[in-house]
Amino acid sequence: MAARISWKGIFLGLFVLVFAGSLLGGGAVALLFYWASRDLPNITRIADYAPPLATTVLARDGSQLGVLCHEKRFLVGLGDMSRFLPLAFLAAEDDAFYRHLGVDPVAIVRAALTNFRTGTKGSGGSTITQQIIKQLLLSSERTYTRKIKEALLAYKLEKHLSKDEILTVYLNQIFLGEHAYGVEAAARTYFGKHASDITLAESALLAGLPKGPSQYNPFRHPERAKGRQMYVLGRLRDMKWITPEEYRQAAAEPLVYWSMPDNAAGAAQWYLEEVRRLLIEFFTEKNLAALGIETGKYGEDYVYEAGLTVRTAMVPAHQEAAGQALRRGLEELDKRQGWRGAPEHLDEEGQRAFLARSAFVPLDLAGGAWVKALVTRVAQREAGVALGQGYTGVISAEGFSWARKPNPKVSAAAAPPVRDARQVLSPGDLIWVSAAERPAAPRGKARRETKTEPYDPAEARKDTPVPVLLQQEPAVQGALASIEPQSGDVVAMIGGYSFGESHFNRATQSRRQPGSSFKPVVYSTALDFGFTPSSPVLDAPFVYINPWTNQVWRPSNYEHDYKGEIPLHKALALSRNTCTVRVAQQVGIANVIQRAKSLGLEPQFPEELSVSLGAVAVSPLNLTQAYAAFANQGLGVRPRIITSITDAAGRELYRQDVEHWQAVTPQNAYMMASLLKNVVNAGTGVRARMEGRFIAGKTGTTNEEHDAWFMGFTPYLVTGVYVGYDQLQSLGRQEQGGRTAAPIFRYYRGQVEDLYPPQDFVPPEGIVMQDGFAYRSDMPLEGRAATDEEGAQALRDTSEGGENLMRQMF
């Protein structure tokens, strides 16, 4: 007989098993949670959220000059965002955010079922709080241990921060593609707007990016991005966070993608790079400690991650005009120097490859732009070129007539123009060309006049060659610095021909002999030692024997001729070397050096007479600074590049206020201005003359035409121009400061003079005028020699401030 089944025993056994299993399972889970919680990271990193933030550099008018960053992120609060932006991210990522405690059980179960059904771990059910934990405290590995830690930390964070604070961290931390971190950077990147200005449609698109920043990138995959945007808009509508009408309007809104430029292009890059270099030099460990900033970062890391706002003195109109002027002047000089040959010569395979990859369109030649062209045929009077995409060009004799063989011993004016293209080009040469102006159609009485019209891209045809000019990238370099003497603002600073070729800033980092542009320092000293504009000075051969070395020095004039006794104003206007040396010898070279220091010049000057002819190297910016005293009633000024720096919290870390000192007396400054106006009106600086403007200035040329300078100023603006090779070599015969540098000054000032009303120098008290020159009223007009004590006292009165304030930015 079969044993009776004890249902009571079975149920009792099952209960015991279930109970024991529950205890064991609960214990295992408890042990697992305990084990996972032993080494949890501290959430203070989130509570004290301080992510890497981009530093923004601004021009003087508040426009953005550039961004310096490792991660492009700009910290913004919820109040600084469009009201739709947080809603869109919540709808896409965590609609229960304001209801759960950091973990959403419903979302976890839903994700688990999805993973079980698909056999993957693709759906995680993470809340926004959990995503923050993963990004800032944990790794991105997909393990259950990490998920447990994530849940524990999320719960802990919800107890420590408010929901709004957590959401703010998330919207600033999230990566949204195209190097954009956070919604402000993404709004600038995809729509060229700030986060406060984007629309509902744009908010929905950004909110769709976290799922796959690359997959839904609107620049690369606009259809996918639109589809994802519609999903987010649908979620907003279904949750009744937007109205059906708002949904329809947003769905129909055209999406226009464009990026707010991070860094200004072209000439502005020189200024931005100088600011970057100064910032890195300033934020050392020592300076950060002095500012009370506790950070483990310094130098570039601090600058690129501190979220600073840096205001500069740069004026965009000045900077752009300066860049164009320097490029134009260097290109003109390069043509006078001659043709160095085609940059590249291609074989048949290379020619086919060039034409295959060329994306030329006629608009590429607009505005004087250069393009690469392939020489296809060469005859005596012209050369044909291929531009690409079926377009061709022709270089006529006028377009290559400058391309002589380089010879620094022969001036361009003396060299005959090139008439045979075969001496210049060969088929297969890859060259630079620009569009030539075309003859204008004759009209009425002007038929006999030869007029030209600029190139019009709309008229370019594939069956008609475009008239082009042969171009060549200059090998010579240069620099330009421009300062407003009242404030010291460096409104323009160009460090070379092309920023892309070299970041070396010749305006601030280069040191070159200024030649005759140093002479105003000598003559300013002489005016305090009793010389006047009419004082006679001797222009004759000069021999100096150094009493310590017995070395013989025989300075001569550029023209190698002598004019005998001439008035001081003429000696300066014609830049006579022997006159200047004699004046320096009479007043004492030590006094000249003291005057140089009072004007703000930085070098250590040896007590040698050759100093009077500019034998000691200076930077273009420093020499421009020295001339500022002559422009502004004798007041020296400290150049301002960076005017202020504030941190991400708005605390001011640095400010450079205007700093003046009395470098020379107002009377001395005015007398020098009147003498240097004569240099421009009737001397070596005539190429800098501008109708209706009161310009003073001085040219400078070093031995063998190695370097050319022009320093020019008005009461409101001081500009210095330098031209020379990085490795010393001649610029070419007759390439003096007046011919080479002064036109660059005029090109630049011609573009910016309208920003200032015409203004002449105002004479101070104690000045009388005779024959267009200024004299001190207490001095005989014919001049006299001051006693050593009188001159020395004048120097003492004006030198102390310059020596105290003669320091660079930072």
Side-chain angles (χ1 to χ4, degrees):
M1 181 176 177
R4 293 181 60 186
I5 298 175
S6 177
W7 294 103
K8 182 177 180 180
I10 292 173
F11 283 126
L12 182 59
L14 289 173
F15 175 76
V16 171
L17 288 173
V18 171
F19 181 73
S22 298
L23 287 176
L24 290 173
V29 171
L31 286 172
L32 182 62
F33 271 82
Y34 171 75
W35 175 79
S37 65
R38 287 183 307 166
D39 58 347
L40 288 178
N42 198 319
I43 64 170
T44 55
R45 181 179 173 186
I46 300 178
D48 302 329
Y49 182 61
L53 298 175
T55 286
T56 302
V57 181
L58 304 176
R60 193 169 75 175
D61 63 2
S63 61
Q64 183 170 296
L65 177 56
V67 172
L68 306 174
C69 63
H70 290 144
E71 294 181 359
K72 190 168 69 173
R73 179 187 287 108
F74 307 92
L75 196 64
V76 291
L78 294 180
D80 298 318
M81 303 177 193
S82 161
R83 70 182 183 89
F84 297 114
L85 197 51
L87 291 177
F89 275 86
L90 292 175
E93 296 294 317
D94 187 2
D95 57 66
F97 174 73
Y98 281 95
R99 299 193 301 272
H100 61 63
L101 298 177
V103 178
D104 187 354
V106 175
I108 292 175
V109 171
R110 183 170 62 245
L113 292 174
T114 301
N115 291 341
F116 178 77
R117 185 172 62 253
T118 61
T120 66
K121 295 183 180 179
S123 183
S126 295
T127 64
I128 280 177
T129 311
Q130 288 175 281
Q131 291 184 50
I132 286 295
I133 296 295
K134 180 175 69 174
Q135 291 177 32
L136 294 178
L137 299 180
L138 300 174
S139 68
S140 59
E141 62 176 339
R142 293 183 176 182
T143 65
Y144 291 112
T145 302
R146 197 266 295 164
K147 292 295 291 184
I148 292 172
K149 291 183 177 183
E150 184 182 286
L152 291 171
L153 288 168
Y155 180 78
K156 190 175 182 180
L157 183 63
E158 292 268 354
K159 297 295 184 182
H160 199 81
L161 296 180
S162 70
K163 287 289 188 179
D164 283 355
E165 289 172 332
I166 295 172
L167 184 58
T168 300
V169 171
Y170 172 78
L171 292 174
N172 281 284
Q173 180 66 26
I174 188 71
F175 176 63
L176 297 170
E178 293 290 327
H179 309 289
Y181 290 81
V183 294
E184 173 66 19
R188 298 185 187 193
T189 298
Y190 295 112
F191 297 110
K193 298 180 179 180
H194 294 288
S196 58
D197 300 325
I198 63 173
T199 65
L200 169 58
E202 294 163 344
S203 298
L205 185 131
L206 295 184
L209 292 173
K211 183 176 177 64
S214 178
Q215 181 181 0
Y216 296 107
N217 185 317
F219 292 137
R220 302 175 188 172
H221 309 292
E223 297 83 4
R224 294 180 193 172
K226 179 64 179 178
R228 182 67 179 162
Q229 178 220 28
M230 292 303 298
Y231 165 77
V232 177
L233 287 173
R235 293 279 299 146
L236 286 164
R237 178 198 58 195
D238 295 344
M239 299 187 68
K240 295 183 171 48
W241 289 356
I242 61 173
T243 66
E245 180 60 26
E246 287 176 321
Y247 170 83
R248 285 191 293 272
Q249 291 179 357
E253 180 181 314
L255 295 171
V256 179
Y257 305 118
W258 72 281
S259 295
M260 185 183 296
D262 290 333
N263 296 329
Q269 295 176 92
W270 289 109
Y271 211 105
L272 177 62
E273 174 60 19
E274 184 67 14
V275 170
R276 188 192 76 89
R277 188 175 66 84
L278 292 172
L279 289 171
I280 292 172
E281 289 179 359
F282 178 64
F283 285 108
T284 61
E285 288 183 275
K286 181 179 179 180
N287 284 349
L288 286 166
L291 290 168
I293 299 173
E294 297 181 2
T295 176
K297 301 170 183 175
Y298 58 91
E300 181 176 305
D301 286 341
Y302 181 79
V303 171
Y304 278 56
E305 298 182 8
L308 307 172
T309 298
V310 182
R311 291 174 173 81
T312 73
M314 192 270 270
V315 176
H318 278 267
Q319 186 73 6
E320 185 61 27
Q324 291 177 0
L326 184 63
R327 288 179 66 91
R328 177 181 173 183
L330 295 182
E331 288 165 7
E332 290 175 350
L333 168 60
D334 192 69
K335 285 185 170 63
R336 293 196 297 270
Q337 292 171 331
W339 173 245
R340 297 187 301 276
E344 190 175 356
H345 184 83
L346 304 179
D347 57 20
E348 291 185 4
E349 183 178 350
Q351 295 176 37
R352 288 192 295 270
F354 167 77
L355 294 175
R357 66 174 178 267
S358 173
F360 174 82
V361 294
L363 192 61
D364 292 342
L365 285 170
W370 296 6
V371 299
K372 283 188 174 181
L374 176 66
V375 178
T376 55
R377 63 178 181 83
V378 182
Q380 179 179 351
R381 300 292 296 169
E382 67 179 29
V385 298
L387 301 171
Q389 299 296 315
Y391 290 94
T392 61
V394 60
I395 308 174
S396 64
E398 291 76 12
F400 62 78
S401 61
W402 60 269
R404 68 185 179 98
K405 185 177 181 180
N407 185 350
K409 295 182 179 180
V410 178
S411 70
V418 177
R419 298 300 185 188
D420 190 341
R422 295 170 297 184
Q423 299 175 3
V424 180
L425 300 170
S426 299
D429 285 348
L430 194 62
I431 60 174
W432 288 102
V433 298
S434 66
E437 293 186 340
R438 58 186 178 84
R443 297 178 182 176
K445 296 182 179 179
R447 289 178 183 272
R448 294 183 180 179
E449 298 180 10
T450 303
K451 292 187 176 181
T452 59
E453 293 179 349
Y455 164 76
D456 184 356
E459 296 183 0
R461 299 290 183 269
K462 291 185 178 182
D463 57 356
T464 304
V466 177
V468 293
L469 305 174
L470 178 64
Q471 300 290 358
Q472 178 175 248
E473 287 191 336
V476 67
Q477 288 290 347
L480 186 152
S482 205
I483 299 175
E484 290 181 344
Q486 286 74 24
S487 64
D489 283 1
V490 181
V491 294
M493 176 174 51
I494 306 296
Y497 175 75
S498 172
F499 183 78
E501 295 295 325
S502 167
H503 296 179
F504 179 67
N505 191 332
R506 295 158 190 85
T508 59
Q509 295 175 288
S510 180
R511 302 291 185 274
R512 284 300 178 87
Q513 293 181 351
S516 296
S517 56
F518 183 84
K519 288 176 181 176
V521 179
V522 177
Y523 287 91
S524 171
T525 309
L527 294 177
D528 282 344
F529 275 79
F531 283 84
T532 73
S534 59
S535 295
V537 292
L538 181 61
D539 182 20
F542 182 91
V543 178
Y544 173 75
I545 301 175
N546 189 305
W548 292 277
T549 65
N550 289 323
Q551 288 185 331
V552 178
W553 182 48
R554 292 184 176 89
S556 62
N557 295 318
Y558 181 82
E559 299 84 355
H560 300 290
D561 64 358
Y562 304 95
K563 297 183 180 298
E565 191 174 273
I566 57 176
L568 180 142
H569 67 80
K570 187 174 183 179
L572 180 58
L574 300 181
S575 198
R576 309 303 285 180
N577 290 339
T578 58
C579 294
T580 305
V581 173
R582 283 188 167 90
V583 170
Q585 186 179 47
Q586 186 168 347
V587 301
I589 195 64
N591 293 322
V592 173
I593 292 171
Q594 192 172 354
R595 175 53 48 86
K597 291 295 186 180
S598 72
L599 290 169
L601 288 172
E602 298 162 356
Q604 295 300 315
F605 295 91
E607 291 195 13
E608 300 284 350
L609 273 178
S610 60
V611 166
S612 64
L613 298 184
V616 177
V618 297
S619 73
L621 179 61
N622 188 213
L623 190 58
T624 305
Q625 171 195 357
Y627 272 71
F630 300 140
N632 189 29
Q633 301 176 351
L635 293 176
V637 68
R638 181 183 173 198
R640 300 201 307 169
I641 297 174
I642 294 175
T643 56
S644 71
I645 305 171
T646 54
D647 64 15
R651 182 169 73 102
E652 188 170 86
L653 304 180
Y654 172 86
R655 171 173 293 278
Q656 183 180 340
D657 294 320
V658 176
E659 294 186 31
H660 285 301
W661 68 93
Q662 199 69 51
V664 298
T665 65
Q667 293 77 18
N668 185 287
Y670 185 79
M671 293 170 73
M672 286 304 304
S674 74
L675 286 170
L676 293 173
K677 281 199 296 183
N678 188 51
V679 173
V680 174
N681 293 330
T684 58
V686 291
R687 285 185 172 91
R689 190 166 51 195
M690 297 178 63
E691 190 67 30
R693 294 289 171 165
F694 305 95
I695 295 172
K698 184 68 187 76
T699 57
T701 311
T702 60
N703 291 341
E704 300 179 13
E705 289 100 357
H706 283 160
D707 301 292
W709 297 74
F710 183 77
M711 312 300 297
F713 62 94
T714 53
Y716 46 83
L717 191 63
V718 185
T719 302
V721 177
Y722 156 77
V723 178
Y725 287 97
D726 287 341
Q727 302 298 323
L728 281 180
Q729 68 181 77
S730 175
L731 295 172
R733 186 171 175 79
Q734 296 183 358
E735 294 296 344
Q736 316 104 318
R739 183 184 189 187
T740 306
I744 296 174
F745 170 90
R746 190 179 72 251
Y747 298 154
Y748 159 65
R749 296 293 290 260
Q751 295 297 314
V752 301
E753 284 297 317
D754 287 344
L755 300 176
Y756 307 90
Q759 182 182 348
D760 199 356
F761 301 91
V762 178
E765 292 183 359
I767 289 291
V768 295
M769 301 297 295
Q770 178 171 315
D771 299 328
F773 295 105
Y775 295 79
R776 282 168 44 190
S777 58
D778 61 345
M779 294 285 292
L781 296 186
E782 68 274 9
R784 67 174 177 85
T787 67
D788 288 344
E789 178 55 33
E790 287 175 323
Q793 183 60 48
L795 288 171
R796 282 197 296 271
D797 291 342
T798 58
S799 65
E800 182 178 355
E803 292 177 354
N804 289 340
L805 290 172
M806 196 179 61
R807 58 186 185 273
Q808 280 190 324
M809 176 71 184
F810 297 126

